[in-house]
Every structure is written in C-alpha cells, then in structure tokens.
Amino acid sequence: MLVDLQNMIGDYFHDVFVNNVDWWVLLGVVAQGLFTMRFVVQWIASEKAQRSVVPMTFWWFSIGGGTLLLVYALYRRDPVFILGQGFGVFVYLRNLQFILRAKARGEDTNSGPG
C-alpha cells in the first residue's frame, strides 16, 4: 500500500514538473520567483533596520511578478488567479504612485533602502 502511494505521488510530480513543462510554465516559474523576491528584500530591509520596512524594491518586484503572473493566468484561463493578480497589480501600482508622489514633495516615505 505504501509503495503504491509512493508510486502514485512520484508519477504525479513527474507529470506536473516534467511532462507538463512548456514556455508558459517557465514564465510562471520566473514570475513566481520575482513575486517571492519581494518578501526577501522586505525581510532583509527590516532586519537591517530592526523594524518593519517596506522598500520601494518590494513594490517593483510586486508589479513585475504580479504582471507576469497575470499574463500566465490569462493564458491558462484561470478566473480566480486572474481576479487575484489583476487586483493585486492595481494595488501595487497605486502604492508605488503614493511613494513617488511623496518623494517628489520631499516627504519621508518610510520605504527604507531599495
């Protein structure tokens, strides 16, 4: 029974990660990598500052990863993913707009390094 389960799981992951790989999957992986990097830069900036910091790079990675994931979701015709990423990209762009406006006025954006 455990051997059968192990074989089923192995076959599943082989199908998902080997048989189904195409350029769209590679785009999705790159997009997810960009999206993940936003948390890495936020974590590093917060550790350096010893307080919670959201650097501007966080928003750039959010926009890049979110946009590519939206393109991927549109291609895959996934309505849940389309709605989530479409709304997310709007929010990321709006936050970046707030930061850039504040910087233009010479205000402290509290966005930290990056």
Side-chain angles (χ1 to χ4, degrees):
M1 179 168 163
L2 287 178
V3 172
D4 291 337
L5 180 61
Q6 180 182 358
N7 287 337
M8 285 175 34
I9 292 170
D11 290 344
Y12 172 81
F13 283 112
H14 185 270
D15 188 48
V16 168
F17 290 103
V18 177
N19 293 340
N20 289 335
V21 173
D22 60 15
W23 288 108
W24 285 103
V25 171
L26 293 176
L27 174 77
V29 169
V30 168
Q32 190 60 54
L34 286 174
F35 210 61
T36 300
M37 283 304 299
R38 68 196 192 128
F39 292 113
V40 173
V41 298
Q42 192 275 330
W43 177 34
I44 291 169
S46 293
E47 288 292 337
K48 285 182 180 178
Q50 293 295 296
R51 62 183 175 82
S52 182
V53 173
V54 182
M56 190 153 33
T57 310
F58 176 92
W59 300 112
W60 288 113
F61 275 120
S62 297
I63 291 166
T67 300
L68 288 178
L69 285 170
L70 178 59
V71 169
Y72 178 77
L74 288 167
Y75 174 76
R76 294 292 183 185
R77 297 175 182 242
D78 184 325
V80 174
F81 210 10
I82 291 168
L83 291 172
Q85 291 305 320
F87 180 71
V89 169
F90 169 76
V91 171
Y92 310 142
L93 287 167
R94 187 70 173 137
N95 276 285
L96 190 58
Q97 184 181 32
F98 287 140
I99 292 168
L100 294 174
R101 280 185 188 167
K103 281 190 175 197
R105 291 189 303 260
E107 297 175 8
D108 178 20
T109 62
N110 193 25
S111 61

